[in-house]
Amino acid sequence: MNTDELDEWLGCFLTDMDLRRLEGVSVRITSERKPRVVDLLKAWHGHVLRFELEVGLPDSDRTVWGVWDFIAALALRSRLSRGVRKVDQDSLERFKRALDDVDSRFMKFTEMDEFEIALRLDGGGRSDGEWWWDRIPRVGPIRREADRIKSALSD
């Protein structure tokens, strides 16, 4: 999805006024790195679309993202969750609709991760509200890699 398509998608949910309000809403990652909440939303959207598109690709495709890319995306979603708390009430409902749109896409190609492979590999505890850490793609290269890791950890 190119920038114009991404902006068009975002425009289905957020008004120009919302975007101006959200301009100053950021999430501190490090002292130097404070991405805007809108950029985090766009990044989450981009990651979910890519995961969705790659489900049918073979493991031999060297461009396919793997389980570590998936974990990075889950961490990005966690940062986005922190950012949502900073969105003002005037824009919150519309922002959440955009986020819900991406989350529902994510839910469609994932399922509950009974083995908690993402959590195990991430090594960090997560809050109960971070449901995305409990999901794994149903099929595809990420799932196959996760299954290989699960098998190695079970031995």
Side-chain angles (χ1 to χ4, degrees), residues 75-92:
L76 183 153
R77 177 60 180 84
S78 292
R79 290 181 182 107
L80 179 54
S81 180
R82 287 197 321 261
V84 169
R85 291 181 232 143
K86 297 179 176 185
V87 174
D88 72 20
Q89 289 299 322
D90 294 331
S91 302
L92 185 60

Side-chain angles (χ1 to χ4, degrees), residues 11-101:
C12 292
F13 300 98
L14 298 172
T15 66
D16 288 340
M17 179 64 83
D18 291 328
L19 292 172
R20 283 192 295 278
R21 283 187 190 122
L22 294 168
E23 189 69 32
V25 180
S26 61
V27 178
R28 184 186 183 109
I29 296 173
T30 66
S31 59
E32 297 86 31
R33 208 157 166 242
K34 301 172 195 162
R36 296 177 319 144
V37 71
V38 170
D39 293 331
L40 290 172
L41 176 61
K42 288 178 179 181
W44 174 236
H45 185 258
H47 280 70
V48 168
L49 288 180
R50 180 162 179 175
F51 294 139
E52 205 174 33
L53 290 170
E54 291 185 353
V55 162
L57 295 178
D59 297 349
S60 60
D61 186 330
R62 305 287 290 163
T63 66
V64 169
W65 281 0
V67 74
W68 291 105
D69 300 294
F70 186 74
I71 289 168
L74 300 179
L76 183 153
R77 177 60 180 84
S78 292
R79 290 181 182 107
L80 179 54
S81 180
R82 287 197 321 261
V84 169
R85 291 181 232 143
K86 297 179 176 185
V87 174
D88 72 20
Q89 289 299 322
D90 294 331
S91 302
L92 185 60
E93 182 181 332
R94 289 179 296 279
F95 188 88
K96 281 187 172 180
R97 279 196 335 231
L99 180 55
D100 288 346
D101 182 66

Side-chain angles (χ1 to χ4, degrees), residues 74-151:
L74 300 179
L76 183 153
R77 177 60 180 84
S78 292
R79 290 181 182 107
L80 179 54
S81 180
R82 287 197 321 261
V84 169
R85 291 181 232 143
K86 297 179 176 185
V87 174
D88 72 20
Q89 289 299 322
D90 294 331
S91 302
L92 185 60
E93 182 181 332
R94 289 179 296 279
F95 188 88
K96 281 187 172 180
R97 279 196 335 231
L99 180 55
D100 288 346
D101 182 66
V102 182
D103 286 345
S104 68
R105 288 186 82 120
F106 179 76
M107 295 286 287
K108 287 178 185 174
F109 70 87
T110 62
E111 65 185 7
M112 288 299 296
D113 178 10
E114 301 296 330
F115 193 71
E116 299 180 333
I117 193 72
L119 283 170
R120 288 175 187 235
L121 292 175
D122 181 58
R126 298 293 172 177
S127 73
D128 290 337
E130 294 186 355
W131 56 266
W132 47 92
W133 284 95
D134 299 326
R135 313 266 324 156
I136 194 81
R138 277 191 223 97
V139 296
I142 293 171
R143 178 55 181 257
R144 291 188 294 274
E145 183 181 4
D147 287 345
R148 287 191 297 273
I149 292 169
K150 175 184 168 185
S151 178

